[in-house]
Amino acid sequence: MEEGISKLQTKADQRLIADYYDDLYRSFDQRISEEGRERIRKAFEFANNAHAGVKRKSGEPYIIHPIAVANIVSSEIGLGVTSIIAAILHDVVEDTDYTLTDMENLFGAKVARIVDGLTKLSDEFTAQHDSKQATNFRKMLMTLSDDVRVILIKLADRLHNMRTLESMAPHKQLKIAAETLYIFAPLAHRLGLYAIKTELEDLSLKYKQPETYNLIKFRLHSQKERRDYLVNQFIKPIKEELSSEGIQFNISGRLKSIYSIWNKMQTKGVSFDEIYDLLAIRIVFTPKENVSEKRQSFDILSLITDIYKPKPDRIRDWITIPKANGYEALHVTVMGPAGKWVEVQIRTERMDAIAERGFAAHYKYKGELSPETELDRWLEKIRELLQNPESDALEFLDEFKMNLYSSEIVIFTPKGKMVNLPKGATVIDFAYEIHTDLGNHCIGAKINHKLVPVSHVIESGDQIEILTSKSQKPDIEWLKFITTAKAKSKVKQAFKTNKKHHFEQGRDLIEEKLKEFNIKPTSDTLKKLTAYYNLSNKDQLYAQVGMGFIDIEDIANILKTRRQNKLARYWNLSFGKKNADDELDLELPDKKIDKKTTFILKENPEETNYSLAKCCQPIPGDNVLGYLTSNNHVVIHKRNCPAANKLMSQQGDRIITAEWTKFKKRSYLTRLKLNGFDRVGIVSEITNIISKLNNINMRTVMFDTHDGIFEGELFLYIHNVDDLNNLIARLMKIKGVDNIERMEKIED
């Protein structure tokens, strides 16, 4: 075997492979017995032979990837022999002639089952109307319901792919980064792998929005010296106090991740300088025997709040009620030196291990035979979703996504049983959480003895009694306010039971509507409608309309664009109002769009066959990407658009990179929101600046004042981002203007 490999691998390659294997070997601790180490070596030699001569995009021998994944599984997640072997072998069945039977014969049934869960589906097994990405993910989760190690190894696989993403083509980078952000980072969070989740988020941002990532990284680096000084000043009295109490501890500063800083800037609408909790201080202590960890943690909290004043609404107790992923800690935000708020996290060594290594550490401390955990209950919910045969893979992915990443609240039943739900959950979500029949027949609830409707948003600590009626049935309107995947899937299931009836009803409704516009229901027309709704075929379109998930009046509005006269079409072209609605109008060129090359956005969209997405309203100069529809048309989205994230995660093969040329003639409607301190003449100053700029035209100006504060909205026609940024910079210099924000949605 060795001789065969040496012919295919250079000495430099062999040295590199040996270095990587040595790194893996050094990660083994007392968990791995001598017998285990021998089994791992056997797996490595087998995989090295199977992948011999194959290279990665970076030019490295392919075997480097499985070894690196195994290293992450061993050193960063802390799994054992079976998982390390499965990680080494995870691409053998997919990329070589070896089969799962070979895996089972050589390495046992457990390893074979995990490798099967990690092996992607081949094209012939992928239903035509489903996204390949979504179908593969569903298959992987089916194995998760038997063995969670599949997902843990898949996360390690994704982490190594993200660490080596620079060798991939730009459109592949976008697809992989968005998929990582949409599914894998939340999944790592849900399984308690905070270090991996943070790195996945940061790397995704690095490839999706490199300029933003580098700017935040530079700002953090430039403030390092001042930050280190503040940390030392802050922790000095805490160290002295804890040492005097005889507590064994380790105290360190933890910087907020680049992605979480960016995310906070987006969601809160604040600048980098306005984020007050850039820094957190972590205290990890060794608990004394015979005293509860909870009591000792609160003693430390008490010592800290004697030194620094706490922010009353920022004390979080995750020890009394741990998070669903097993996370335990006490968090408190206190006023530190120089008037800065600082978050302090208090954990025992056990809590810290669970926080960093999540699921694996959780079971190491609790043991396999421990009582059912929140994590087990979450896996049970996933099994329920997988057992719904009606949902297609894309729908499943959406439902699964809803089970991730949400802040949790604690609710009580009338008998005092505790139930965890995502923040923003409603009465109907709670009813379905308890039992499907309770949800199906729910007419309202009593919360703390007060009557509330099914749509009422519940709050942490509520005690809820569900009220039912035998005549009540699931209502399509419920889907508008339901937040949990379980409730949504149960309501949809109720409507899908009569699938044939819905299909026929939807077909009749669409054909009737087409008749009104004298349009025949040709396959071309139906293709354009399915593309508009991001569906895969006409059957899905008919079913969605028949079940009421798509409003027939929406279709009427789309079809109206076909009947526009030439003047109206010219007006739309002149002022950048062309959007995804107009896809039905386009005379599509025969020329196929090459996904591997960057799509150039020219000033005349009909020349290059593109339209601008309504959801995020990109304008020339924005950082954008393209989504290739089934009829060879490109819809342009901003890279940070949530709809684009979803498309990249579910239909990444249709994503292309896009760049603007210089736009000078066409204008684009853009909405700005302003606020600040009102004074005489401020509105005329704002409008004067806009009117003096030749390349910007006003459509609508609205201002409202109350209690000395003004709020305003400007609807402007703008050529490109440079002109917009220039305008914002000028307006910010006006005395009294405090904040200007560009709004994504433009409601006409």
Side-chain angles (χ1 to χ4, degrees):
M1 192 191 284
E2 290 296 325
E3 201 176 312
I5 293 173
S6 64
K7 288 176 185 175
L8 293 165
Q9 290 173 351
T10 65
K11 284 191 175 175
D13 283 349
Q14 287 172 9
R15 275 199 303 273
L16 187 65
I17 293 165
D19 287 345
Y20 267 82
Y21 187 77
D22 287 345
D23 282 348
L24 169 64
Y25 195 84
R26 279 194 291 272
S27 74
F28 302 158
D29 53 24
Q30 64 273 17
R31 287 172 298 133
I32 314 294
S33 64
E34 280 305 318
E35 184 210 348
R37 289 169 196 233
E38 192 47 48
R39 285 178 62 209
I40 291 166
R41 173 162 283 283
K42 179 185 166 188
F44 159 66
E45 286 171 355
F46 176 80
N48 194 20
N49 180 54
H51 293 301
V54 183
K55 300 275 186 178
R56 296 191 83 207
K57 285 269 195 295
S58 60
E60 293 176 331
Y62 191 86
I63 188 66
I64 296 281
H65 169 66
I67 300 171
V69 172
N71 200 344
I72 294 168
V73 163
S74 173
S75 60
E76 298 182 47
I77 302 177
L79 295 177
V81 176
T82 304
S83 302
I84 294 167
I85 291 172
I88 292 170
L89 301 172
H90 80 270
D91 279 333
V92 169
V93 173
E94 189 182 343
D95 296 341
T96 74
D97 294 331
Y98 289 103
T99 64
L100 283 169
T101 309
D102 296 329
M103 297 295 105
E104 188 168 347
N105 291 338
L106 288 163
F107 302 102
K110 276 187 181 177
V111 168
R113 194 172 71 242
I114 294 171
V115 170
D116 183 33
L118 292 161
T119 303
K120 297 186 187 81
L121 294 175
S122 61
D123 287 337
E124 66 219 68
F125 291 120
T126 306
Q128 280 187 337
H129 63 277
D130 276 351
S131 150
K132 196 171 171 188
Q133 269 170 296
T135 311
N136 284 331
F137 199 79
R138 181 175 182 149
K139 184 199 173 194
M140 192 170 64
L141 285 166
M142 281 175 168
T143 320
L144 170 140
S145 61
D146 296 324
D147 197 329
V148 77
R149 287 175 293 190
V150 172
I151 290 292
L152 296 171
I153 298 167
K154 188 66 188 173
L155 284 167
D157 177 44
R158 179 51 57 116
L159 180 59
H160 186 250
N161 283 335
M162 289 301 293
R163 285 173 177 173
T164 55
L165 198 57
E166 59 203 29
S167 55
M168 300 291 280
H171 72 286
K172 288 274 180 74
Q173 289 178 346
L174 277 177
K175 171 197 163 180
I176 294 166
E179 188 183 67
T180 300
L181 211 49
Y182 189 76
I183 286 290
F184 288 98
L187 192 53
H189 171 90
R190 199 63 177 76
L191 293 169
L193 298 162
Y194 283 109
I196 288 176
K197 166 229 168 193
T198 299
E199 191 176 347
L200 287 174
E201 286 174 339
D202 280 0
L203 288 168
S204 298
L205 186 65
K206 179 183 175 182
Y207 288 101
K208 280 189 72 200
Q209 297 185 66
E211 289 171 13
T212 306
Y213 175 88
N214 289 327
L215 182 66
I216 295 172
K217 190 177 178 182
F218 172 75
R219 294 289 301 273
L220 288 173
H221 181 74
S222 63
Q223 294 180 2
K224 187 177 184 304
E225 209 172 295
R226 182 169 172 271
R227 208 167 45 240
D228 288 347
Y229 172 75
L230 282 172
V231 168
N232 291 331
Q233 288 288 98
F234 181 85
I235 65 177
K236 193 179 173 186
I238 296 175
K239 269 184 168 178
E240 289 169 2
E241 193 63 39
L242 294 182
S243 298
S244 69
E245 292 288 327
I247 297 166
Q248 280 188 305
F249 67 94
N250 179 38
I251 186 166
S252 58
R254 182 193 63 85
L255 197 58
K256 207 175 184 69
S257 73
I258 293 174
Y259 176 82
S260 59
I261 291 169
W262 172 81
N263 195 40
K264 196 152 200 175
M265 287 164 69
Q266 299 298 305
T267 53
K268 303 280 186 189
V270 295
S271 69
F272 179 90
D273 296 316
E274 290 172 297
I275 296 174
Y276 68 79
D277 56 350
L278 275 178
L279 198 68
I281 301 298
R282 183 173 295 160
I283 298 168
V284 179
F285 70 96
T286 308
K288 294 168 185 170
E289 289 181 19
N290 304 321
V291 184
S292 78
E293 289 184 353
K294 178 179 170 179
R295 182 175 155 190
Q296 291 179 69
S297 301
F298 271 98
D299 285 346
I300 292 172
L301 174 72
S302 176
L303 292 171
I304 290 164
T305 53
D306 283 345
I307 302 165
Y308 298 113
K309 292 290 174 276
K311 199 171 187 216
D313 61 336
R314 292 288 297 174
I315 295 176
R316 300 282 182 267
D317 176 9
W318 301 114
I319 297 176
T320 307
I321 303 172
K323 286 189 179 183
N325 56 20
Y327 179 81
E328 294 175 67
L330 274 184
H331 291 195
V332 60
T333 300
V334 297
M335 179 58 77
K340 296 280 182 189
W341 290 108
V342 181
E343 184 183 75
V344 181
Q345 301 171 353
I346 303 162
R347 304 172 182 171
T348 63
E349 287 162 342
R350 176 189 66 82
M351 294 173 195
D352 191 55
I354 289 171
E356 294 305 310
R357 287 186 164 183
F359 188 91
H362 185 78
Y363 274 84
K364 178 184 167 189
Y365 282 99
K366 292 239 175 183
E368 289 287 351
L369 300 171
S370 66
E372 187 186 47
T373 63
E374 278 297 332
L375 202 56
D376 297 321
R377 287 194 280 276
W378 177 71
L379 289 172
E380 190 53 49
K381 286 181 191 174
I382 300 305
R383 288 188 195 105
E384 279 182 35
L385 280 179
L386 288 162
Q387 283 162 6
N388 177 7
E390 295 293 329
S391 75
D392 61 43
L394 283 175
E395 196 174 277
F396 169 78
L397 199 55
D398 275 349
E399 289 166 359
F400 174 77
K401 179 80 170 71
M402 289 171 74
N403 262 340
L404 300 170
Y405 241 179
S406 43
S407 303
E408 287 156 350
I409 56 173
V410 176
I411 308 299
F412 295 93
T413 67
K415 291 184 178 177
K417 185 188 169 190
M418 199 169 75
V419 177
N420 286 72
L421 282 172
K423 196 173 180 181
T426 60
V427 164
I428 206 76
D429 290 304
F430 176 76
Y432 275 111
E433 190 64 29
I434 304 300
H435 199 279
T436 303
D437 281 347
L438 209 58
N440 287 341
H441 300 297
C442 177
I443 54 169
K446 278 187 179 178
I447 297 184
N448 311 325
H449 310 295
K450 186 183 170 189
L451 204 60
V452 294
V454 290
S455 59
H456 179 83
V457 176
I458 55 186
E459 292 178 18
S460 204
D462 281 347
Q463 189 168 22
I464 304 176
E465 180 191 346
I466 296 295
L467 305 173
T468 59
S469 164
K470 284 182 182 176
S471 60
Q472 176 70 303
K473 288 178 181 174
D475 189 335
I476 200 85
E477 291 295 307
W478 289 358
L479 291 172
K480 291 178 181 175
F481 51 78
I482 281 173
T483 63
T484 64
K486 183 176 181 180
K488 192 163 244 184
S489 66
K490 293 294 180 189
V491 171
K492 282 185 176 179
Q493 213 173 326
F495 281 92
K496 283 179 180 173
T497 45
N498 197 350
K499 204 170 185 179
K500 192 181 174 190
H501 169 73
H502 291 310
F503 175 86
E504 289 168 356
Q505 194 176 17
R507 186 185 59 203
D508 293 344
L509 284 167
I510 288 172
E511 287 178 1
E512 240 173 75
K513 193 55 72 177
L514 289 171
K515 261 186 200 172
E516 284 179 32
F517 293 91
N518 293 322
I519 298 169
K520 289 181 180 176
T522 61
S523 61
D524 191 42
T525 302
L526 293 168
K527 257 186 195 174
K528 288 167 183 174
L529 284 169
T530 53
Y532 178 83
Y533 287 107
N534 288 327
L535 300 172
S536 302
N537 56 35
K538 65 177 182 183
D539 291 3
Q540 278 188 327
L541 179 70
Y542 289 154
Q544 296 267 332
V545 171
M547 288 185 284
F549 297 152
I550 292 174
D551 188 348
I552 199 75
E553 286 311 310
D554 291 348
I555 290 177
N557 292 333
I558 299 160
L559 296 170
K560 278 176 190 170
T561 61
R562 293 174 64 90
R563 304 181 63 81
Q564 288 177 316
N565 60 35
K566 284 181 183 177
L567 183 65
R569 284 169 62 88
Y570 172 76
W571 182 260
N572 273 350
L573 280 171
S574 302
F575 294 107
K577 298 276 292 176
K578 197 153 186 62
N579 54 39
D581 281 2
D582 303 321
E583 280 175 39
L584 294 167
D585 267 334
L586 295 167
E587 292 297 323
L588 302 174
D590 295 329
K591 190 182 173 189
K592 268 279 188 195
I593 291 165
D594 183 4
K595 289 191 280 188
K596 291 178 183 175
T597 58
T598 299
F599 185 78
I600 303 300
L601 299 162
K602 295 180 181 174
E603 190 136 15
N604 181 358
E606 293 200 331
E607 203 179 305
T608 44
N609 188 25
Y610 72 86
S611 55
L612 305 178
K614 292 188 298 180
C615 48
C616 55
Q617 298 286 349
I619 66 173
D622 278 333
N623 204 349
V624 292
L625 53 84
Y627 170 71
L628 190 59
T629 66
S630 54
N631 55 2
N632 204 33
H633 174 70
V634 179
V635 182
I636 301 300
H637 288 265
K638 284 188 194 172
R639 286 199 180 193
N640 62 346
C641 166
N645 273 337
K646 191 171 169 181
L647 288 171
M648 284 188 278
S649 321
Q650 299 183 348
Q651 300 176 54
D653 294 335
R654 291 173 177 263
I655 296 302
I656 57 176
T657 53
E659 277 181 17
W660 304 94
T661 51
K662 196 73 179 167
F663 279 56
K664 291 177 181 175
K665 294 175 189 171
R666 295 187 71 211
S667 297
Y668 293 83
L669 187 60
T670 306
R671 178 182 168 204
L672 293 181
K673 201 170 185 178
L674 301 81
N675 60 49
F677 300 99
D678 190 27
R679 61 179 176 80
V680 176
I682 194 165
V683 175
S684 64
E685 273 188 59
I686 289 167
T687 52
N688 276 341
I689 283 178
I690 299 167
S691 59
K692 281 175 186 171
L693 294 169
N694 297 328
N695 49 3
I696 295 176
N697 291 312
M698 282 183 280
R699 192 191 82 169
T700 313
V701 177
M702 294 184 289
F703 279 89
D704 183 31
T705 63
H706 52 87
D707 302 329
I709 302 290
F710 82 84
E711 287 179 354
E713 282 195 7
L714 305 173
F715 288 81
L716 311 167
Y717 288 115
I718 286 181
H719 290 303
N720 54 53
V721 164
D722 290 342
D723 292 346
L724 180 63
N725 290 340
N726 177 37
L727 171 67
I728 290 172
R730 290 189 180 204
L731 294 178
M732 283 301 290
K733 288 177 182 174
I734 296 173
K735 188 184 174 187
V737 174
D738 182 58
N739 187 47
I740 301 175
E741 193 180 346
R742 178 180 164 194
M743 307 303 286
E744 304 280 299
K745 286 270 186 187
I746 298 176
E747 287 126 17
D748 284 314

